[in-house]
Amino acid sequence: MARPRRHDPERRQRIVDAALRVVGARGIDGLSHRTVAAEADVPLGSTTYHFASLDALLVATLRQANEGFGRQLRESPALADPHTDLAAALARLTGEWIGGARTGVELEYELYLAALRRPALRPVAAEWTDAVTEVLSRRTDSATARALVALMDGICLQVLLTDGTYDEEYAREMLARLLPGDPTRSVARGLADPPGRSTDT
């Protein structure tokens, strides 16, 4: 007689947590149903039951990894206060994030950039961008919010790829240039105009 199946409602989450640890230790190439099952201490069949394909497992893993910085922004009192300096608040929050456990930040970006070669991950990567843009859109227009996200991404990637040091003041200055009311915006716009064309109305 077959043994009754043990009820384990947390197993799916344990598998995702294990997948994050595997990617953190071995990279994307080290991820498989077998390595995750071993890390989670569950039968191999459990991983394939909850995640029929490796892409499905990666989607769940990326979605969880994305929660870090997004949650930090959503829960920030500074971003909710319309009187705070948005550029300064974003520069500080970015510094707190990238200044934490570097392996965790690298893991998030490794999963995020894996979407370049794995189309199944692209909607999840877009979800993260859209979610952060939505948070920032409460303080500025959506186009500027999206540009702020792109700039923060770029600054973080430069720090990670060059093993550099995050410069909060530089980040604040660059972020401020994208925001309405910053005097350098008009200078940058003028430099971008073709010769002979005026931006005056």
Side-chain angles (χ1 to χ4, degrees):
M1 185 175 68
R3 288 186 303 173
R5 188 171 180 178
R6 185 163 64 92
H7 182 58
D8 187 0
E10 303 299 324
R11 180 167 292 188
R12 185 183 189 279
Q13 184 58 51
R14 292 210 315 276
I15 291 170
V16 176
D17 292 340
L20 281 168
R21 293 194 297 273
V22 169
V23 175
R26 310 183 191 185
I28 293 286
D29 291 340
L31 189 74
S32 69
H33 283 99
R34 190 172 299 279
T35 57
V36 171
E39 178 67 29
D41 192 23
V42 299
L44 178 59
S46 288
T47 61
T48 55
Y49 171 78
H50 288 287
F51 303 100
S53 68
L54 195 58
D55 276 349
L57 178 57
L58 276 168
V59 163
T61 306
L62 175 57
R63 189 165 277 131
Q64 178 159 314
N66 280 348
E67 272 299 297
F69 190 53
R71 185 188 305 111
Q72 196 171 349
L73 293 180
R74 287 194 304 272
E75 296 177 355
S76 169
L79 293 190
D81 183 353
H83 302 294
T84 59
D85 182 333
L86 180 57
L90 287 175
R92 178 178 56 78
L93 288 167
T94 303
E96 290 174 357
W97 178 61
I98 201 168
R102 180 61 66 93
T103 53
V105 178
E106 291 173 351
L107 169 61
E108 290 188 38
Y109 270 107
E110 182 169 3
L111 287 163
Y112 184 63
L113 295 175
L116 291 171
R117 294 188 177 273
R118 292 179 178 270
L121 297 182
R122 291 175 191 170
V124 187
E127 281 175 19
W128 182 88
T129 300
D130 292 343
V132 176
T133 298
E134 192 275 330
V135 172
L136 299 185
S137 294
R138 301 169 192 169
R139 293 288 310 275
T140 186
D141 62 275
S142 59
T144 300
R146 193 165 290 274
L148 291 170
V149 174
L151 179 55
M152 289 188 292
D153 259 345
I155 290 173
C156 289
L157 277 171
Q158 284 183 347
V159 171
L160 292 173
L161 293 174
T162 63
D163 200 23
T165 301
Y166 176 73
D167 185 336
E168 183 174 327
E169 180 54 33
Y170 167 79
R172 186 207 63 76
E173 181 184 345
M174 294 302 107
L175 289 164
R177 292 187 184 191
L178 295 176
L179 292 165
D182 185 83
T184 61
R185 283 166 58 91
S186 59
V187 174
R189 187 177 62 241
L191 291 174
D193 288 330
R197 181 178 175 181
S198 173
T199 59
D200 295 335
T201 55

